[in-house]
Amino acid sequence: MSLARRFPTRGSSRLPELLVPALLGGLVLVYFAIPFVAFLARTGAVDVVGELSTPEARVAIRNSLLTAPVSTAISTVLGVPLAYVLARRSFVGKRLVEALVILPLIVPPVVGGAMLLTAVGRFTPIGAAAAAVGIPLTDSLLGVILAQTFVAAPFVIITARAGFGAVDERLEQASRSLGYGPLSTFWNVSLPLARGAIVAGIVLTFARAIGEFGATMMVAYNPRTMPTRIWVEFIAGGIDAIVPLALALLGITLAVLAAVQRFGRVPTVIDR
Amino acid sequence: MILELESLTHRYGDELAVDDVSFGLEEGELVALLGPSGCGKTTIVQAIAGHVRPTAGRIRLRDRDVTEEPPEARRVGVVFQESTLYPHMTVGENVAYGLASGDIGAREREKLVTEYLELVALRDQRDAYPAELSGGQQRRVELARALAPQPDVLLLDEPLSALDRTLRERLREEIARIQDETGVTTLFVTHDQEEAMALADRLVVMDEGRLSGNATPRVLYESPPTPFVASFLGRSNALPATVVAREPPTVAVGDRELELQSSVRSPPTGASVTCHVRPADLSISPPEAAGASGTRLSIPGEVVTVADVGRRYDVTVRTETGDELVVELTDDPPTAGERVAVELPRDRIAVFDADENERQRLVAANETRG
C-alpha cells in the first residue's frame, strides 16, 4: 500500500496560511476599536472647547505639560546610559539589576506610589528634610515628576537596551581602532544606530508619564494633572464630564507620537 | 620589528584560548595567521587591536609596549569578517571617519578620502550609502577606511570568509595589490590554507591556542615542524613506526626498516614515532619490488579505492601493516583489489614523536632544502 493513499491530497480545500491567526488578531482589534469609537461618539454632546477653558482644566493641562516632559527627560538621560551598560557588559548581579528595572512595571502603579510615599513621604527623613528646605516631595509638581518617572522610566530603558543590543559590538570596536575613545564612539556610532529604538522608548515613556494616575494619586493628588483631574470630574459628573480632558490627553500624546515619528524616523514602536 | 607578541596568553574564565604565543611582523610584511576555527586567532587579533586585555604577555608596536593602552592609542587598522561600515554614513564619510579623529585639516582629509577611494577603485561611490554597495565593494570601502589613517599594522580578520568563492579570489588579488602599493604591514587571519599560502610572505600556524609553525609557506609545506602543520597544510599520511637505531636513524614500520637521513635530534631507540609523508610524494610499483632498496622503502598492500578527482587519482592502499595510505597519481591508476607496493621516498619523510604532548619534530625531512 503506497503512502500516497494514506495521506490523501486535500487539493481544493487548501486555506490561506494566515487565515486563523488573522481571524484571532482581528478579534483583538475589534475589541480595541469598539470602546474607542463609542467614547469618541460621545464628543458630539459635549462642549469640548468650553470645558477645556475652565481654570481647573487649564491648570491640569499646564501641570501635565510641565511634568511629563521633565519625567521623560530624566528617564532618558539616566536610563539610556543604563541601557547601554546592560546591553554591553555582563557583571555579577546583572540579573538583580534587570529585575529592578522591571519592578516598576510589575508593581501596580498605586502600590508603586505607596512605596514612594514610604521612601520620600512627608514624615520620612528624606521627605521631611526636603520639605524643611522648601522643596516638598509630595503634593507638589516635584512629587508628580517622582511618581511619573518611577512608573514610566522602565520603558525607555528596556527599549533602548534592545536597540543597543542590536548594534554589532564590532562597529564600536572599529570606531575605537579608528582613533575614537569610548565616549565619542558612543556618541558617533552606538547612539545614532540605536536611535530608532531609543526614540520609540522615549515616546512610550512620555505616553506613560503623561497618562500616569495610580502612583501620582498616592504621591501628589494635588496639584492636579490631567489624569487626576479626569478622576475628580468622573466622580462628580460621570463619563460626559471627562470627555474634553480625555480627548485633550489623547491629542497631546498623539501629537508627540506624530512629531517624534516624523523627526525621529521611527518605523513603528514595536518594530524591534 | 613593527609588531611583536611576546608570550601572549589569554584565558576566558577557565578556558585557555591563547597559550604562550610569540611572533613578530617586520615592516611591510604580509603574514598570514592560519589555523582552524577556535584555535585562538581572533583572540590574538583582538589583543593586538586592544579590544581584549591579555591575561599575560606583552604586545609591542614599533618597539613601544602597548599592552595596557586602549585601542584608540594604537594605530592599528582592523577589518573584520562581517561589514562594520557605518550604515548612517556615506562611503566618503566612512573613510573620512578615521581621519577626523586626528588633527588632519578638512581639506587634507578630503584629499586623503579621494586618494584611498581611488586606491580601492571606488571613487564614484563616494556619496553612496553602504547598503547600496555589493559585498565586494563594501569590503573595499572597509579596506580604504582602515588604511586611510595610515596605521602601523593592518589586521584583516577573515576578511574574505563571508564571500563566495569567485569574489574571494578576486578580492584576494586586490588585497595583495593594495598591500603592495601601500606597503602596510599586514596580519591576515584566515582558516583557509590555500588563501594563506597564496597571499602571505610568511605563515604563522596556530593549533589549539599554541603556535604550531612560523615560516614561509614552502618551508612549512616541505618540512613541517609539527604533525599539525603536516596535516593542516596540504594532505599528509601518518604512519606509526618505532625507532630501532640512532646512527644512522632507522625506524621500523611493521617488520620493515627504513634508514632515514641524518637527523638534528635523534629519538631514543624504542621510541614510538609517527612518520608523515605527502600523498604526492608516494608512488606505486608492482608488488614483487617490495622491500627496502637503496633510497626507498616500499610496503606491500592492497588497493582499497581509486578516486578520480579530475586532475589526478587518489589511490587508497591498505598496507600489510594495517595502515591506510593515500597516494596521488597523475596517470595509469591501479584498480581496486589489486596488490601493489607503496614506495616511500627516504628524503620526504617527517618523523614526529608519537606522544601528543611532545610535538617537536624529531627527525628533519630534507633538511638541506629548509
Side-chain angles (χ1 to χ4, degrees):
Chain A
M1 181 172 146
S2 89
L3 282 175
R5 213 171 290 170
R6 277 197 269 166
F7 294 101
T9 42
R10 299 216 177 129
S12 59
S13 66
R14 182 183 165 141
L15 295 169
E17 288 83 353
L18 290 179
L19 185 66
V20 173
L23 279 176
L24 291 173
L27 284 179
V28 178
L29 287 180
V30 169
Y31 179 64
F32 284 170
I34 286 176
F36 197 76
V37 172
F39 185 79
L40 288 185
R42 296 256 191 163
T43 55
V46 183
D47 175 16
V48 175
V49 179
E51 287 296 323
L52 288 180
S53 319
T54 63
E56 293 87 350
R58 285 162 65 174
V59 167
I61 292 172
R62 192 205 67 183
N63 286 345
S64 278
L65 288 179
L66 279 175
T67 52
V70 173
S71 306
T72 308
I74 293 173
S75 303
T76 304
V77 169
L78 301 182
V80 169
L82 174 62
Y84 185 68
V85 173
L86 289 175
R88 281 289 174 264
R89 284 280 170 277
S90 36
F91 49 85
V92 182
K94 185 175 177 181
R95 293 249 164 201
L96 197 70
V97 172
E98 287 170 335
L100 206 55
V101 170
I102 299 186
L103 199 65
L105 286 184
I106 53 175
V107 169
V110 67
V111 179
M115 288 172 166
L116 271 178
L117 274 185
T118 59
V120 302
R122 197 176 304 164
F123 304 111
T124 64
I126 298 174
V133 293
I135 313 169
L137 299 181
T138 54
D139 288 326
S140 63
L141 287 179
L142 195 56
V144 173
I145 290 168
L146 288 179
Q148 288 177 347
T149 306
F150 184 85
V151 172
F155 288 91
V156 68
I157 299 174
I158 290 166
T159 324
R161 187 219 161 125
F164 286 128
V167 177
D168 188 341
E169 203 170 349
R170 281 171 298 194
L171 267 68
E172 294 169 357
Q173 291 182 346
S175 168
R176 298 289 300 276
S177 286
L178 288 167
Y180 293 87
L183 272 179
S184 13
T185 292
F186 177 78
W187 193 255
N188 294 330
V189 176
S190 329
L191 208 54
L193 292 181
R195 186 178 69 170
I198 294 171
V199 167
I202 292 174
V203 172
L204 284 175
T205 292
F206 178 80
R208 193 76 184 78
I210 201 166
E212 214 302 307
F213 173 68
T216 312
M217 183 189 72
M218 295 297 279
V219 177
Y221 195 47
N222 280 299
R224 298 275 149 77
T225 60
M226 291 166 80
T228 43
R229 180 78 209 154
I230 287 173
W231 174 247
V232 171
E233 300 215 343
F234 176 67
I235 295 297
I239 294 281
D240 285 336
I242 71 164
V243 166
L245 263 182
L247 282 180
L249 190 54
L250 192 64
I252 291 170
T253 314
L254 282 178
V256 168
L257 181 64
V260 163
Q261 286 217 340
R262 173 124 178 73
F263 298 109
R265 282 188 299 173
V266 193
T268 54
V269 167
I270 315 163
D271 201 49
R272 286 171 192 262
Chain B
M1 211 60 102
I2 292 281
L3 169 69
E4 204 179 347
L5 307 190
E6 188 190 302
S7 302
L8 194 75
T9 299
H10 191 71
R11 284 172 196 282
Y12 294 104
D14 290 339
E15 193 195 334
L16 190 59
V18 176
D19 184 7
D20 195 23
V21 169
S22 303
F23 66 90
L25 265 65
E26 297 287 352
E27 173 116 50
E29 247 189 327
L30 201 174
V31 173
L33 183 59
L34 176 66
S37 49
C39 73
K41 301 178 303 249
T42 293
T43 306
I44 289 182
V45 168
Q46 292 283 60
I48 297 170
H51 303 304
V52 156
R53 184 178 294 183
T55 315
R58 312 311 298 175
I59 296 160
R60 272 185 282 275
L61 279 167
R62 290 197 185 275
D63 300 317
R64 187 167 60 97
D65 189 332
V66 297
T67 319
E68 302 301 324
E69 287 187 10
E72 58 269 25
R74 294 194 182 198
R75 301 188 53 77
V76 171
V78 189
V79 174
F80 294 104
Q81 179 174 344
E82 305 294 337
S83 172
T84 59
L85 292 176
Y86 300 123
H88 59 299
M89 300 181 193
T90 63
V91 165
E93 286 165 357
N94 265 286
V95 177
Y97 186 69
L99 298 167
S101 64
D103 48 7
I104 300 164
R107 182 164 302 186
E108 175 70 5
R109 202 189 307 155
E110 288 304 293
K111 217 186 93 210
L112 282 167
V113 170
T114 310
E115 192 180 305
Y116 279 90
L117 281 178
E118 268 168 11
L119 178 71
V120 297
L122 280 174
R123 201 181 166 177
D124 301 346
Q125 303 289 340
R126 188 179 184 131
D127 297 324
Y129 280 90
E132 300 166 42
L133 303 184
S134 71
Q137 288 175 324
Q138 289 183 0
R139 296 277 83 184
R140 279 146 65 197
V141 175
E142 289 221 43
L143 276 172
R145 188 181 70 179
L147 287 169
Q150 292 160 5
D152 287 338
V153 176
L154 177 65
L155 301 175
L156 305 174
D157 189 0
E158 301 266 8
L160 307 179
S161 302
L163 306 171
D164 65 59
R165 192 186 175 87
T166 327
L167 189 56
R168 205 159 63 210
E169 280 168 14
R170 217 166 58 215
L171 267 170
R172 190 166 81 197
E173 282 161 28
E174 184 93 352
I175 288 175
R177 174 185 68 79
I178 290 168
Q179 202 270 340
D180 190 51
E181 277 181 33
T182 57
V184 62
T185 313
T186 306
L187 185 65
F188 186 96
V189 180
T190 179
H191 66 272
D192 182 340
Q193 43 133 328
E194 186 196 326
E195 199 169 275
M197 290 172 105
L199 202 55
D201 306 322
R202 185 155 59 87
L203 304 184
V204 173
V205 184
M206 298 270 305
D207 173 33
E208 292 181 351
R210 278 188 274 185
L211 197 73
S212 200
N214 178 359
T216 62
R218 182 157 294 276
V219 167
L220 285 183
Y221 185 79
E222 292 194 339
S223 46
T226 56
F228 177 77
V229 171
S231 54
F232 191 68
L233 284 187
R235 301 193 300 168
S236 179
N237 288 298
L239 204 58
T242 315
V243 179
V244 291
R246 301 187 68 168
E247 291 294 339
T250 309
V251 296
V253 179
D255 56 357
R256 288 165 195 280
E257 294 192 355
L258 171 62
E259 194 182 306
L260 299 165
Q261 282 189 324
S262 59
S263 64
V264 205
R265 188 161 79 87
S266 190
T269 306
S272 294
V273 292
T274 308
C275 301
H276 279 261
V277 57
R278 302 274 176 207
D281 291 335
L282 294 174
S283 55
I284 276 176
S285 59
E288 57 270 20
S293 63
T295 54
R296 296 183 156 190
L297 171 80
S298 63
I299 306 174
E302 191 184 304
V303 176
V304 184
T305 55
V306 178
D308 183 353
V309 290
R311 46 196 173 135
R312 57 159 205 269
Y313 299 95
D314 281 351
V315 181
T316 309
V317 178
R318 178 177 291 280
T319 65
E320 275 183 0
T321 51
D323 304 302
E324 280 201 354
L325 295 175
V326 176
V327 184
E328 282 180 16
L329 294 178
T330 46
D331 52 14
D332 201 17
T335 50
E338 201 176 316
R339 291 205 56 81
V340 293
V342 178
E343 304 270 352
L344 284 82
R346 177 196 300 275
D347 60 345
R348 292 291 193 135
I349 301 174
V351 181
F352 303 98
D353 196 312
D355 183 359
E356 276 291 313
N357 297 319
E358 189 58 58
R359 292 192 279 189
Q360 283 295 312
R361 192 158 62 117
L362 299 172
V363 179
N366 52 34
E367 200 58 38
T368 45
R369 290 162 187 261

